[in-house]
C-alpha cells in the first residue's frame, strides 16, 4: 500500500482510518522490540575488550599481535657433519 497524502486521508471513512491505525500499531510493536534488541547489542559492542591494561587479567591472557610465523631451523647436525 502506498502512503496516502493528507487529502486522501481526509476522504477516508472513520472505519478505514481506524483499520489503518490498528494495522500501523500492529507493525509498531515488533519494530520497537527489534530496536530495543539492537540498542542492547550496540551497547555490548561498545564495551572494550578486556585486556591486562584495562582489567585484572594477567598479560599472558592478552590477544597476541599479528606476528609473522616463526621460521623453524632444521633439526639435527649440519649437512656434511661426520659423526664420530
Amino acid at each position: 500500500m502506498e502512503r496516502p497524502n493528507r487529502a486522501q486521508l481526509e476522504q477516508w471513512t472513520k472505519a478505514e482510518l481506524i483499520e489503518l491505525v490498528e494495522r500501523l500499531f500492529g507493525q509498531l510493536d515488533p519494530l520497537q522490540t527489534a530496536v530495543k534488541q539492537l540498542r542492547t547489542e550496540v551497547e555490548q559492542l561498545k564495551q572494550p575488550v578486556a585486556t591486562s591494561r584495562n582489567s585484572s587479567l594477567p598479560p599472558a591472557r592478552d590477544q597476541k599481535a599479528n606476528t609473522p610465523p616463526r621460521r623453524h631451523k632444521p633439526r639435527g647436525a649440519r649437512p656434511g657433519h661426520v659423526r664420530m
Side-chain angles (χ1 to χ4, degrees), residues 9-44:
L9 289 174
E10 288 175 350
Q11 294 176 357
W12 288 16
T13 65
K14 184 176 181 177
E16 291 171 326
L17 292 172
I18 290 173
E19 180 184 336
L20 175 64
V21 169
E22 287 176 342
R23 191 171 49 211
L24 291 175
F25 273 116
Q27 294 173 358
L28 185 62
D29 290 334
L31 292 173
Q32 286 178 328
T33 303
V35 168
K36 185 176 180 180
Q37 290 172 346
L38 289 171
R39 284 186 175 154
T40 303
E41 186 176 339
V42 166
E43 287 303 315
Q44 289 174 349

